[in-house]
Amino acid sequence: MGEEINDNLITTGSGTASDSSIEGNGDEVDGGVKYYTLEDIRVHNMSNDTWLIIHNKVYDITGFLEEHPGGEEVLLEQAGADATESFEDVGHSTDAREMLQQYFIGELHMDDRKKEKPKEVQDTNSGESSSSWTMWLIPAVAAAVVGVMYRFYVFEHKSS
């Protein structure tokens, strides 16, 4: 009986690719890069097991928590999630970006990647074109007002 139970456990454990990725193995594709789903990454949010997503790449930063200059708390707040925005907002140095590579373990699965970048580019382009006329109009109006005030001031002093 003990052998049958072990056989069943082995068959159940090697079921589908999603079963193995739940254990944190990820799916390996061409080139040896492992792809992890958001569900795989979310479970790695503890101080003894910390993963982050930055620019669709997955990093196991558990060994770096105590070394982080900003403290481990800021990393643990983002643990198991996408930390790209926070990482970029801080403005990390080139050295920090290079150091990040040693903690690389894989990439975010294609199905879980955000597809909002083209929209952001369009929004910023439309914002720039609508505000470009204000870049010359406001200084022109200010110059006209200053000119009128100067004329008024000069003519008033000549009359007195």
Side-chain angles (χ1 to χ4, degrees):
M1 272 191 168
E3 293 175 17
E4 291 175 8
I5 292 172
N6 288 338
D7 288 342
N8 287 338
L9 288 174
I10 292 171
T11 3
T12 313
S14 63
T16 64
S18 64
D19 289 341
S20 64
S21 66
I22 290 173
E23 295 176 12
N25 294 335
D27 296 331
E28 194 166 320
V29 183
D30 296 335
V33 176
K34 288 188 178 182
Y35 287 87
Y36 298 94
T37 63
L38 283 173
E39 291 79 26
D40 296 337
I41 298 163
R42 283 189 184 123
V43 297
H44 300 278
N45 61 358
M46 306 298 284
S47 61
N48 61 349
D49 184 25
T50 310
W51 290 13
L52 290 178
I53 304 167
I54 299 174
H55 295 294
N56 296 321
K57 294 184 179 182
V58 182
Y59 301 94
D60 182 353
I61 57 156
T62 308
F64 181 67
L65 287 177
E66 293 180 9
E67 299 173 27
H68 187 254
E72 65 183 70
E73 295 82 19
V74 293
L75 296 176
L76 289 173
E77 287 175 6
Q78 300 292 323
D82 190 347
T84 303
E85 187 174 339
S86 298
F87 182 81
E88 292 301 333
D89 285 349
V90 171
H92 285 89
S93 67
T94 307
D95 291 339
R97 294 173 189 277
E98 289 173 4
M99 184 184 295
L100 190 61
Q101 297 309 312
Q102 68 186 351
Y103 301 103
F104 176 78
I105 58 170
E107 293 190 15
L108 185 61
H109 195 276
M110 296 294 186
D111 295 339
D112 292 329
R113 294 184 182 198
K114 294 180 182 176
K115 299 173 184 171
E116 298 179 12
K117 291 194 179 202
K119 290 180 183 177
E120 290 177 14
V121 170
Q122 290 175 357
D123 288 344
T124 53
N125 287 343
S126 64
E128 289 174 7
S129 63
S130 66
S131 67
S132 64
W133 64 271
T134 59
M135 294 181 79
W136 64 266
L137 181 63
I138 291 173
V141 169
V145 168
V146 168
V148 169
M149 289 175 60
Y150 177 74
R151 282 261 199 205
F152 180 74
Y153 180 75
V154 168
F155 282 127
E156 189 173 300
H157 279 357
K158 280 186 178 180
S159 342
S160 40

